[in-house]
Amino acid sequence: MHTLNIGILAHVDAGKTSLTERLLFDHGAIDRLGSVDAGDTRTDDGAIERQRGITIRSAVAAFTAGDTQVNLIDTPGHSDFIAEVERALEVLDGAVLLLSAVEGVQAQTRVLMRTLRRLRLPTLVFVNKIDRAGARAEDLVADIRRLLTPHVVPLTDVTGLSTPAARVHPRPPGDPDLAEALADVDPSVLAAVVDGPRPTPDDLRKSLATHTADGSIHPLLFGSALGGQGIPELVEYLVQLIPPSATGSGTPRGTVFAVRPGPGRERTAYLRLYDGEVAPQQRLTFRRHGADGRTLEVSGRVTRLEVVGRSGPLTAGNIGALTGPKDIRVGDRLGQLTERAPQFAPPTLETVVRARQPEQAAALRSALLALADQDPLLHARPAASGATVLLLYGEVQKEVLAATLLQDFGVEADFEPSRVRFLERPAGTGEACDAFPWHDHTHYWATIGLRVEPAERGSGGVFGYETELGALPRAFHQAIEDTVHATLLSGLHGAPVTDYRVTLIRSGYAAPLSTAADFRGLTPIVLRRALGLARTRLYEPYVTFETEVPLDALAPVTAHLASCRAEFAGTTGGVGSWLITGELPARRARGVELALPGLTHGEGMWWSRPSGDRELRPR
């Protein structure tokens, strides 16, 4: 039996969790259908998920179809939890992109399809809710081809659309529409269509399988998760068209894509294994990149192992929930550590969190660090007066964090209003040195020389040495390095400094007078002088936007966007509406979104996502 790891991706409320329940129920994995409204679904098992009726964390469940085990990863649909989706994408063999037949293509759907196509991940499109009033079929397929990708091919049709009597019927094997769609991506099919003889149904099946597997074409199916229509066809094509990933034996290699807290400091890690085998009591070493660019290791013995959907050891291609290694985090790699570019931009908002009761400050800090292990993009870091700074994607994420802190940790927390997160980067190189100086009536028994210079984009902060490592006791070296990273959390303009390289170019101490405190005290003084000589540039986050507006609203909307320093990428349409795309400073996005209804008589649609940062331009 082989395994497929399939992600269910969609905009919020398209029916992801309901589809997961239907697939599990129809294949005997659960004995009753859960309901999102009733809060008793298999994958949304958290109290907050059940209260809100949304998926917050990726969850895994399995069913068997013939000789194939299908592991379903149900991902969040709300854009505030896009980090969960990013982590799930890395471990998938294929995906089902879900759309509602009523609401159609949504903003998040576009983000997801762009990412899936960039990864060339095999993806089937499933149009859900065909039995709902207002459901569309042919018009929706046209929207999908216009807004998502032209390379979709319907494999089923619907009768009784938008009524409880809606039914799904497979298209014939030699469907001309299938041949035309495949001709766009397969030269051999194109030649057969143009020159003859016409491709046979077997030719079309082989071409469809090949080009679904390489992500160049996307089969489209209709159905209803609640009513069960179209589900057998979806499973049939999943198993036929999406190939399992290649696996190998030998040294275990895998990725931790989710971590769930347990009692005490115990953590359950969800591991997708690519090569090798993992068994209970086996000792494993996980690796990650540290903030300074070094490779960090976390080792431990597997004390408990549950393989999703089967018993026995965890084998290549499967997913297991394991407990044992302490301090394991999301993103840790088992085996060789490889570089991987993130699929989504990091958060652009930050907030300051404080315990409502001062005596809970330590408990709040501990809870936030635990949550940051589950979602490293939170980047929890200390602030003044016992507060903690967090990074966020949006306000819903903040509300969920507040509820999680209260329900899971018993801590009431207050969040400051979110603000856009600026960054600083070194503009040049600066050096400074001090040898056993006096500062503010304090004599520092230490000699420190530091050089600050720019590092590669995306490298974060890197610390290195030009001095001999044995020139200082290890504790003094560590004090300098830790203090460098802590000091650069606030640069010359008050924003965190990133993409820097700090090098220790001179060092000295006086035994037995010198202590680590001397190096912790002197390092910020020398570092700020070096940073001042290097100078820094301030960067602000940008968002990519799309807005669909009525024909008569083009001029006022583009004028307003231009006044907010938008940079336009294109304007298309002109038949029923205009689609305007471009980039915009993140601090302006909310204002544009609020102004859009007034500029478009309530008919405009707005979508935006983080897209990196740019140097702050003078006003």
Side-chain angles (χ1 to χ4, degrees), residues 31 37 58 76 120 163 193 206 234 250 286 357 392 412 449 528 536 581:
D31 56 12
D37 293 336
S58 296
R120 299 192 74 85
T163 71
V193 169
K206 290 179 181 178
L234 173 62
F286 294 87
Q357 306 298 328
L392 301 170
E412 290 186 278
R528 302 297 287 190
T536 63
T581 60

Side-chain angles (χ1 to χ4, degrees), residues 98 117 262 312 526:
L98 199 64
R117 288 185 58 78
V526 177

Side-chain angles (χ1 to χ4, degrees), residues 436-561:
F436 304 108
W438 285 85
H439 287 288
D440 294 329
H441 310 292
T442 299
H443 191 186
Y444 294 102
W445 292 97
T447 295
I448 299 174
L450 296 172
R451 179 171 63 242
V452 179
E453 57 192 326
E456 289 185 17
R457 270 292 188 113
S459 62
V462 179
F463 183 82
Y465 303 88
E466 284 186 0
T467 59
E468 294 184 10
L469 284 177
L472 287 179
R474 181 175 178 80
F476 296 174
H477 272 297
Q478 195 64 49
I480 296 172
E481 182 175 349
D482 292 346
T483 307
V484 162
H485 294 309
T487 301
L488 292 178
L489 292 174
S490 179
L492 302 179
H493 303 281
V497 183
T498 189
D499 299 338
Y500 60 83
R501 180 181 296 276
V502 176
T503 305
L504 183 65
I505 57 176
R506 185 180 172 191
S507 64
Y509 71 106
L513 298 175
S514 299
T515 67
D518 291 306
F519 289 88
R520 283 194 294 268
L522 182 58
T523 296
I525 297 170
V526 177
L527 181 59
R528 302 297 287 190
R529 288 215 318 265
L531 189 65
L533 294 171
R535 304 182 316 282
T536 63
R537 295 191 177 102
L538 193 61
Y539 290 77
E540 67 172 327
Y542 266 63
V543 298
T544 296
F545 71 84
E546 290 183 5
T547 180
E548 192 168 350
V549 302
L551 294 175
D552 61 352
L554 179 63
V557 170
T558 52
H560 186 74
L561 285 166

Side-chain angles (χ1 to χ4, degrees), residues 10-52:
H11 189 275
V12 67
D13 289 336
K16 296 180 313 303
T17 302
S18 297
L19 177 59
T20 302
E21 288 289 308
R22 171 59 68 179
L23 289 167
L24 296 175
F25 176 74
D26 283 1
H27 293 83
I30 56 176
D31 56 12
R32 60 179 295 274
L33 276 172
S35 165
V36 174
D37 293 336
D40 59 356
T41 58
R42 171 72 176 271
T43 51
D44 283 352
D45 56 358
I48 299 171
E49 291 176 309
R50 289 176 170 173
Q51 290 170 9
R52 290 176 170 263

Side-chain angles (χ1 to χ4, degrees), residues 249-269:
S249 56
T251 305
R253 184 176 65 89
T255 297
V256 175
F257 68 94
V259 173
R260 302 291 178 256
R265 293 186 62 200
E266 186 179 80
R267 297 175 185 177
T268 297

Side-chain angles (χ1 to χ4, degrees), residues 46-304:
I48 299 171
E49 291 176 309
R50 289 176 170 173
Q51 290 170 9
R52 290 176 170 263
I54 60 173
T55 302
I56 294 169
R57 303 180 302 186
S58 296
V60 185
F63 69 87
T64 301
D67 63 350
T68 302
Q69 175 181 309
V70 180
N71 291 337
L72 294 175
I73 294 92
D74 181 16
T75 63
H78 199 285
S79 59
D80 282 11
F81 305 101
I82 199 70
E84 282 283 339
V85 181
E86 175 187 341
R87 290 189 282 271
L89 286 176
E90 188 182 359
V91 304
L92 299 180
D93 299 315
V96 175
L97 182 62
L98 199 64
L99 285 82
S100 165
V102 179
E103 287 82 11
V105 177
Q106 300 289 302
Q108 184 77 345
T109 322
R110 300 185 192 182
V111 179
L112 294 169
M113 180 55 94
R114 286 196 190 100
T115 304
L116 293 167
R117 288 185 58 78
R118 186 168 68 246
L119 295 174
R120 299 192 74 85
L121 192 69
T123 302
L124 275 61
V125 178
F126 186 73
V127 177
N128 190 28
K129 304 182 182 181
I130 60 169
D131 49 0
R132 281 254 313 266
R136 298 178 298 141
E138 291 184 9
D139 289 350
L140 179 55
V141 172
D143 286 347
I144 292 170
R145 286 175 171 152
R146 179 173 61 90
L147 299 172
L148 296 182
T149 171
H151 303 301
V152 294
V153 52
L155 301 183
T156 58
D157 285 319
V158 186
T159 58
L161 184 67
S162 76
T163 71
R167 294 294 180 268
V168 170
H169 307 281
R171 290 194 172 189
D175 181 25
D177 291 343
L178 175 59
E180 288 185 17
L182 289 170
D184 288 338
V185 297
D186 189 329
S188 64
V189 175
L190 175 62
V193 169
V194 174
D195 301 327
R198 297 285 297 182
T200 65
D202 191 51
D203 293 334
L204 295 178
R205 273 193 298 269
K206 290 179 181 178
S207 178
L208 179 62
T210 298
H211 292 286
T212 301
D214 68 15
S216 59
I217 201 162
H218 306 286
L220 183 147
L221 303 106
F222 293 94
S224 170
L226 291 180
Q229 301 96 310
I231 301 302
E233 291 81 4
L234 173 62
V235 174
E236 176 186 351
Y237 283 116
L238 270 178
V239 173
Q240 286 183 7
L241 299 177
I242 296 183
S245 296
T247 57
S249 56
T251 305
R253 184 176 65 89
T255 297
V256 175
F257 68 94
V259 173
R260 302 291 178 256
R265 293 186 62 200
E266 186 179 80
R267 297 175 185 177
T268 297
Y270 285 83
L271 174 70
R272 160 72 195 267
L273 197 65
Y274 302 107
D275 296 317
E277 183 176 294
V278 172
Q281 301 308 312
Q282 184 174 344
R283 186 169 184 82
L284 302 176
T285 299
F286 294 87
R287 296 176 175 87
R288 72 175 78 111
H289 289 299
D292 58 358
R294 294 183 301 173
T295 298
L296 306 179
E297 294 187 350
V298 175
S299 298
R301 197 171 299 280
V302 178
T303 57
R304 187 171 68 248

